Amino acid sequence: MRDIGVDDFTYPSVLNCLTSKKDVKIGQSVHCRVIKTGFQGYNLIGNALVDMYAKQGDLSYAFKVFNTILDRDVISWTSAVTGCAHNGSHEEALKLFCKMRNSGVEPDQVITSSILSSCAELALLEFGQQVHANFMKSGLQSSLLVDNSLVTMCANCGCLEEADRVFKSMANRNVITWTALIVGYAQNGKGKESLGLYDQMILSGIKPDFITFIGLLFACSHAGLVDQGCRYFESMINVHGIRPGPDHYACMVDLLGRAGKLLEAEKLLDEMAVEPGATVWKVFLAARRKHGNIDLAKKAASVLFKLTPKDAVPYVMLSNMYSKADKWEDAAAVRKLMKSKCISKEPGYSWLEMNGKVRRFMSEDRSHPKSDQIYLRTSEVMGLIKNAGYVPDVNFALHDINDEGKEQGLAYHSEKLAVAFGLLYVPQGAPIRIYKNLRVCGDCHAAMKLISKMFCRHIILRDSNCFHHFRDGTCSCGDYY
């Protein structure tokens, strides 16, 4: 077409074709042609370039183009925001969305769906609810895209009743809709309900996909349903023709490992149809840690050291195993090895969202402006639950110090500080929603159960693995976590 000539409609068509190709060089060559032919100032072309670069995962180029667009419309902003969301830059997506609103541009269905998805990933329930409320006030008709993202956000924030309400109000549902709720039930400790929802989906004529089975196997794993999990795994291959991937195998290894079937888990790992990656080996290591098998844990850790040489997780897990077994010299040796390789552990922290602000807490951290009140309340709470039968589990204090020091360290774990803040400032009757970047320890789990009973509060704690709904002294996970 160079001999014929191109126009401002030709380039967007070409760039849209390139969004699915993971070859940024071809896109850059077209971009060069755009500049050479003097079309770089056209909004339609600029929007297509932003979209193309973002979908190819090159956000730096996407923003270089975005910043040159003078008269940005909703498509310009949507291309940038959805690009951030799809590439995992969720905080940046929210910042851009706020800038867009401040510039006077109203969101459409696509950008609303992307922002709700980012809120789901960041567990920002209040912000997501505000976005959806403003969308409804705008008079725009909802869409399957928006409703699916809303179901996912509610489920990811532990609001199963709201997710279920949205689901039931939807006139049309697809496999994404059903899967969002199946996964949501599984993550919130309702494994059997998750499986029941799957049966309803099949009866409705919707075929499951790759992700549906991850949700099902996760549900079986966290509910201890070994036989059912194995049947779902077989039906995925034999009935639905879905080839299992690393995530499915990780769920199966987790399912067997949690149930103490370590030999079966090891056999499955050896027979995997795909090369076991880091996720599978981490699950295998966690299973060995749970059942105290240090020798086999060392084997799994050594594999992970090679697969992910800069990942702190296997080092921390192995070190914690040694500490729990009072093998302090071995634990110190692992930490020394980490230090020699310049590997740093991700610090554990917890956070709450309240009144549009995120409050973050770290273990024994006093940087919060209300730290005096928070620590005083934490001490009061720990004293009250001790009188009710709580005994600190010093096995989760992973430092070689006396029991008194271990007990004090446990008392000020980040989730305990967060719940003390919640008891002080979250209105009575409203759930206290806490999020943590790592797994909740057994001592904090036991403490949360008693706190929920003594203070008559619904405490929702989402750790890196699943949700824990504490009510009346019990947890939705049934202590199987």
Side-chain angles (χ1 to χ4, degrees), residues 116 119-120 124-125 128-129 148-158:
L116 291 176
C119 289
L124 295 177
L125 178 64
Q129 288 173 330
N148 283 347
S149 296
L150 186 60
V151 171
T152 302
M153 184 198 74
C154 292
N156 272 25
C157 293

Side-chain angles (χ1 to χ4, degrees), residues 374-449:
I374 293 167
Y375 272 79
L376 179 61
R377 187 58 167 157
T378 303
S379 298
E380 291 172 352
V381 168
M382 298 308 293
L384 287 170
I385 64 172
K386 271 187 180 180
N387 292 335
Y390 162 75
V391 178
D393 190 343
V394 293
N395 287 320
F396 292 97
L398 303 173
H399 296 284
D400 189 14
I401 53 178
N402 60 38
D403 283 354
E404 185 180 348
K406 289 180 180 180
E407 206 172 306
Q408 186 174 354
L410 287 172
Y412 301 118
H413 274 192
S414 64
E415 52 266 62
K416 292 192 179 90
L417 296 175
V419 80
F421 177 89
L423 291 171
L424 283 170
Y425 299 108
V426 175
Q428 185 69 34
I432 300 173
R433 300 179 185 278
I434 303 168
Y435 305 94
K436 182 168 183 175
N437 65 326
L438 304 177
R439 293 280 294 271
V440 61
C441 79
D443 180 75
C444 287
H445 192 270
M448 291 291 175
K449 288 197 294 183

Side-chain angles (χ1 to χ4, degrees), residues 290-301:
K290 180 178 179 180
H291 295 282
N293 194 321
I294 292 180
D295 290 334
L296 287 174
K298 285 168 63 178
K299 173 188 171 183

Side-chain angles (χ1 to χ4, degrees), residues 60-82:
S60 62
Y61 264 100
F63 278 105
K64 282 179 182 178
V65 177
F66 179 77
N67 291 331
T68 65
I69 301 174
L70 299 178
D71 186 20
R72 295 170 188 151
D73 57 17
V74 68
I75 299 173
S76 313
W77 289 99
T78 298
S79 298
V81 170
T82 56

Side-chain angles (χ1 to χ4, degrees), residues 22 24 27 42 52 88 111 148 151 186 192 227 256 325-326 352 372 375 384 415 438:
K22 297 300 179 184
V24 75
Y42 286 74
M52 183 269 296
I111 200 168
N148 283 347
V151 171
K192 292 181 179 178
D227 293 338
L256 296 168
D326 289 334
L352 295 92
D372 289 344
Y375 272 79
L384 287 170
E415 52 266 62
L438 304 177

Side-chain angles (χ1 to χ4, degrees), residues 109-143:
Q109 286 96 333
V110 177
I111 200 168
T112 300
S113 172
S114 292
I115 287 299
L116 291 176
S117 296
S118 289
C119 289
E121 291 296 325
L122 298 172
L124 295 177
L125 178 64
E126 289 182 15
F127 189 91
Q129 288 173 330
Q130 289 172 13
V131 168
H132 187 251
N134 288 331
F135 172 78
M136 297 300 289
K137 288 176 184 177
S138 71
L140 286 172
Q141 291 294 316
S142 193
S143 65

Side-chain angles (χ1 to χ4, degrees), residues 296-353:
L296 287 174
K298 285 168 63 178
K299 173 188 171 183
S302 64
V303 174
L304 283 165
F305 294 161
K306 295 175 184 176
L307 284 175
T308 54
K310 291 297 181 182
D311 188 357
V313 171
Y315 293 92
V316 172
M317 291 173 75
L318 189 60
S319 173
N320 289 352
M321 279 191 74
Y322 284 132
S323 298
K324 197 170 181 179
D326 289 334
K327 295 187 175 184
W328 301 109
E329 290 183 4
D330 290 325
V334 174
R335 291 195 294 271
K336 186 177 179 181
L337 180 62
M338 277 182 70
K339 188 175 181 180
S340 69
K341 294 185 177 182
C342 299
I343 299 170
S344 57
K345 174 190 171 185
E346 180 185 10
Y349 58 88
S350 301
W351 72 96
L352 295 92
E353 182 193 14

